[in-house]
Every structure is written in C-alpha cells, then in structure tokens.
Amino acid sequence: SQQGEEDPQALSIQEGENATMNCSYKTSINNLQWYRQNSGRGLVHLILIRSNEREKHSGRLRVTLDTSKKSSSLLITASRAADTASYFCATDGGSLVFGAGTILRVKS
Amino acid sequence: EAGVAQSPRYKIIEKRQSVAFWCNPISGHATLYWYQQILGQGPKLLIQFQNNGVVDDSQLPKDRFSAERLKGVDSTLKIQPAKLEDSAVYLCASSEGQNQETQYFGPGTRLLVL
C-alpha cells in the first residue's frame, strides 16, 4: 500500500495564482521528497526535506514538514501554465514510497 | 550529462506472452530502481539494486517477474507470462548512493497487455 496520500486529488487554478498540495503519511521517515510528472514522462525531483527540517525553499517552491502531524505541504507560487503536471510526495523510510499524486492544471 | 535511458518506450503484447525492458542508468550511479506505475497511481517499487546486488525485491511478483543487473550498470526487467493487470508504465530510476538520495527517472516503458 502507498504511504503518502496527497490532497487534493486534482486542482485547477489560473496562471499567477498559488497552488498548495498536501501530503499525509503514516510511519516514521528519514526524509520526504516531492516529484513532478508531466503527462507521459518520467518523474522529476523537485525538493527533499529531511525529518529534522521544518521548511525548505527552492525558487517558487516552498515545502513544509510537520513530523508531529505526519504531514507535508508543497506551495507553488505565481503558477505558470508549464506547472501543469502531477505532483507526488514520496516518503523515505529506507526506500521511497509514493502517494497517488495531485493533478495540477494551470489555466492561462 | 545523459539521463536514464529506457527502451522500448511502448510495448503491446497479448496475455501469457513474455516481455523485457531495458534500462541504462546515469553513469556512475550505483543504485538502480525499477518501479511499476499503474494509471492513476503513484510509482510502486519493484526492485532495487546496489551495484549488481539486490537490496529490496519485496514487492516483486517473483513468480512472473525477474530482473538482473549483471555488470552493475544496465539492467533488464522481464515479465513471463504477462497478465492483463501488468498493463502499466515501468519506470527505471538511478541514484548515486543508496540512502536518502535524489532519484533520477527515465521516461518509462508503457506496457499494454491485451
């Protein structure tokens, strides 16, 4: 079974708006990673946050991690049409376990 | 730097037939992973190699799936015989080390079993 569960399953926003995706997991982790997958393509690593970190930034991406609530969020600011993709969280407790993903659509 | 290469990109077979997928990881990456991604789901790890040794194959259906990485570089994943439920995208990924590492994914092989 998949450990990470993303919420919402799908999100549709206008270009320029912010997009927030959430991930919940069940067991202890070493780190949590976020990946993006464009339609018909492989996954691309976005950001890794370790279990002793609470927040991390990379360009327009901001990730938070709350280990007490076993949850993480990914914020994409000033979204662009090119951000349209599926976003997956993956928990690393020895091997990566992926959630089912959030489908993001950014309308121009 | 060349990325992870996979072939073929698409494959259509009938149930009970055999199929093989090939993966060439990023040069110098010791760890290689095979994932199965069913439509609408996230990738599920099938097998993880560290050089030419198996680290984790707990979710590999060993009655029909096999994988090898003989020289610690490229790898093949085989399904024999295929079932309808094997229809999925098979993703190969590699990383420099084994733990807490970013994984680099190939484009995947889309398999349809009829």
Side-chain angles (χ1 to χ4, degrees):
Chain A
S1 63
Q2 292 173 318
Q3 164 153 246
E5 292 187 7
E6 288 91 343
D7 171 60
Q9 289 186 322
L11 181 60
S12 183
I13 59 174
Q14 290 292 136
E15 204 166 28
E17 293 181 338
N18 295 340
T20 299
M21 288 159 268
N22 302 297
C23 170
S24 60
Y25 58 93
K26 296 173 183 166
T27 62
S28 297
I29 59 172
N30 299 319
N31 65 62
L32 185 144
Q33 304 181 33
W34 285 90
Y35 286 80
R36 184 188 75 226
Q37 185 176 37
N38 291 86
S39 181
R41 308 287 291 274
L43 281 78
V44 174
H45 180 263
L46 296 176
I47 197 163
L48 180 153
I49 186 165
R50 301 196 185 281
S51 60
N52 61 352
E53 297 176 311
R54 291 297 168 258
E55 187 171 312
K56 204 160 183 180
H57 296 255
S58 177
R60 295 183 295 114
L61 305 181
R62 173 179 169 252
V63 168
T64 62
L65 178 64
D66 186 335
T67 53
S68 66
K69 295 181 179 178
K70 291 188 170 60
S71 67
S72 174
S73 67
L74 170 67
L75 169 66
I76 304 174
T77 60
S79 64
R80 305 166 181 168
D83 294 330
T84 294
S86 293
Y87 292 81
F88 296 91
C89 70
T91 52
D92 189 345
S95 60
L96 278 187
V97 179
F98 286 83
T102 293
I103 299 171
L104 173 65
R105 181 185 172 207
V106 181
K107 296 177 284 186
S108 55
Chain B
E1 178 183 81
V4 176
Q6 289 188 249
S7 68
R9 291 296 311 277
Y10 306 93
K11 190 74 177 178
I12 301 174
I13 62 173
E14 295 189 350
K15 59 183 179 184
R16 292 187 289 272
Q17 286 187 323
S18 302
V19 65
F21 313 126
W22 174 81
C23 172
N24 191 26
I26 292 173
S27 178
H29 279 194
T31 309
L32 185 147
Y33 314 80
W34 282 103
Y35 289 89
Q36 179 193 58
Q37 185 176 22
I38 293 172
L39 187 64
Q41 298 182 18
K44 181 184 82 171
L45 179 68
L46 292 176
I47 189 167
Q48 177 182 341
F49 291 96
Q50 177 78 6
N51 297 310
N52 61 348
V54 175
V55 174
D56 183 357
D57 64 355
S58 58
Q59 297 193 89
L60 186 74
K62 298 180 186 64
D63 58 334
R64 298 184 300 106
F65 286 64
S66 64
E68 60 183 15
R69 192 185 185 200
L70 292 176
K71 295 183 180 179
V73 180
D74 56 352
S75 174
T76 55
L77 175 69
K78 297 179 182 178
I79 308 175
Q80 180 179 12
K83 293 185 176 181
L84 297 178
E85 57 261 37
D86 297 333
S87 294
V89 176
Y90 291 84
L91 295 163
C92 179
S94 69
S95 65
E96 287 187 44
Q98 181 175 341
N99 298 318
Q100 304 182 30
E101 292 281 349
T102 297
Q103 294 186 20
Y104 298 86
F105 283 79
T109 295
R110 188 175 298 272
L111 174 67
L112 178 60
V113 182
L114 301 175

